[in-house]
Amino acid sequence: MTNIAFDIGGTYIKSAIVAQDGSLSHYQKVRTPVNHSDAIVKEVKKQLEAFKYQYQLEDIRVGISTAGAVNREQCKIAYANPNILDYTGTDFAAHLSPYVEKLHVYNDVDAALLGERTVRSDDIESMFCLTLGTGIGGSYYHKAFGLMTGARHRPNQIGNLLYDPETDTNYEQRASTNGLKRQLSDNGYPYLPIPAWFEMASAGDASAQNELKQWAEEVARGIAEIQIMYDPQEIIIGGGISAQGDRLLNLIVPQVKKYLPKDYGHAEISVARLQNNAALLGAVSRL
């Protein structure tokens, strides 16, 4: 039995063979093609065929993490925004079933949450994963029923929360990593990578500290909403910015209680441990 994982994003498709101990081999990363005539699923099929014949694999099981809302039972994209051309309706089962013994397809945040579960205690009853990146994604897991599904396969769309009519923006537009970049640009700062702003803040730069605190307050507002709606045992912050670790948590966590009723309490808030590999590992975690 061989587990192969794919992580399909708007920019790259990543793939690897995943061993039983969670280690990755034969890792690849290619540009996501413009999705004319099912180009994305055809690229996955091409890579899968290459894995099979190059390494003489049998009993192949495939897990896919992908952008978009996923019908997990049918292994089909139920809905995708226009950022990926003609992706809604993409049928992975129809294209890949002849090559695999088993196939699982997950929304990318669901896959990341499943990946994080592999490195956390089985005693955790419920978890919410919040990913901060170009946009904001969410996933909720409870031991009683597993991943939340939703009637139209698109639950936890938390980026649409907290609409502000004065600025005509929602949570995602203000609290994502892109939101932070936009905030810095609007305030007249020249472009610097986000990690550089954290370095400057740690070195005592008052402007960096103030800008990051302002952005972190927006993140905290959304976390308070998650707490009230889901009451999870743990909230995990993922996305590339999670690499900032305690520097990120120290900005966000103290501000969450400002947006909760007095003495309400909240989940343990942590950063993702697997970072870039979470979705790959999560995609094959249940094969």
Side-chain angles (χ1 to χ4, degrees):
M1 180 184 74
T2 303
N3 289 341
I4 301 176
F6 291 87
D7 182 14
I8 302 169
T11 306
Y12 293 105
I13 297 175
K14 305 170 189 176
S15 59
I17 294 176
V18 184
Q20 293 300 311
D21 64 1
S23 59
L24 305 181
S25 62
H26 309 295
Y27 176 86
Q28 299 179 51
K29 179 178 174 180
V30 300
R31 283 275 179 183
T32 304
V34 178
N35 195 41
H36 292 296
S37 303
D38 287 323
I40 289 176
V41 71
K42 287 177 181 176
E43 175 63 32
V44 171
K45 178 181 173 182
K46 173 184 168 184
Q47 291 189 35
L48 182 57
E49 288 177 316
F51 274 123
K52 180 176 181 178
Y53 294 113
Q54 184 173 354
Y55 303 109
Q56 299 296 300
L57 302 177
E58 296 182 356
D59 189 14
I60 298 172
R61 303 183 178 205
V62 169
I64 295 174
S65 159
T66 178
V70 175
N71 182 327
R72 295 195 293 268
E73 290 184 1
Q74 296 181 8
C75 297
K76 184 183 290 188
I77 302 297
Y79 173 79
N81 66 40
N83 291 340
I84 302 181
L85 178 70
D86 297 334
Y87 202 41
T88 299
T90 297
D91 190 337
F92 286 94
H95 285 268
L96 304 181
S97 289
Y99 301 89
V100 302
E101 297 297 321
K102 199 170 185 180
L103 175 66
H104 285 176
V105 182
Y106 298 100
N107 164 265
D108 49 5
V109 189
D110 286 340
L113 186 152
L114 291 176
E116 287 295 316
R117 283 199 73 247
T118 67
V119 293
R120 293 170 190 266
S121 170
D122 287 339
D123 294 333
I124 298 175
E125 181 182 72
S126 59
M127 302 168 62
F128 194 98
C129 184
L130 167 75
T131 58
L132 305 176
T134 303
I136 289 182
S139 176
Y140 180 68
Y141 173 91
H142 196 287
K143 266 190 173 182
F145 56 80
L147 290 171
M148 181 178 282
T149 299
R152 287 169 294 280
H153 311 287
R154 59 199 81 170
N156 312 307
Q157 299 289 307
I158 58 171
N160 295 311
L161 293 175
L162 296 169
Y163 176 74
D164 176 19
E166 289 189 15
T167 60
D168 190 27
T169 59
N170 59 19
Y171 182 49
E172 177 173 272
Q173 291 165 315
R174 298 189 303 274
S176 63
T177 306
N178 264 15
L180 174 55
K181 292 176 182 177
R182 191 178 305 111
Q183 171 191 315
L184 293 167
S185 175
D186 289 347
N187 288 342
Y189 295 101
Y191 173 77
L192 284 173
I194 295 302
W197 283 93
F198 278 85
E199 291 293 338
M200 291 162 56
S202 294
D205 185 288
S207 294
Q209 291 172 348
N210 290 335
E211 293 293 339
L212 290 177
K213 184 177 180 182
Q214 178 184 332
W215 167 79
E217 184 165 359
E218 290 291 348
V219 179
R221 288 179 65 197
I223 289 176
E225 300 289 299
I226 291 166
Q227 180 62 50
I228 290 169
M229 289 187 292
Y230 296 92
D231 192 26
Q233 186 175 348
E234 186 167 356
I235 296 173
I236 300 166
I237 300 174
I241 203 165
S242 65
Q244 298 301 322
D246 286 343
R247 294 197 291 194
L248 179 67
L249 294 176
N250 290 340
L251 285 166
I252 294 170
V253 176
Q255 303 199 73
V256 173
K257 64 182 180 181
K258 290 166 56 174
Y259 296 97
L260 291 169
K262 184 179 179 182
D263 299 326
Y264 195 84
H266 60 73
E268 178 185 351
I269 302 171
S270 62
V271 293
R273 298 176 187 174
L274 296 174
Q275 295 182 24
N276 288 336
N277 291 335
L280 286 170
L281 293 172
V284 298
S285 63
R286 297 187 164 189
L287 289 172

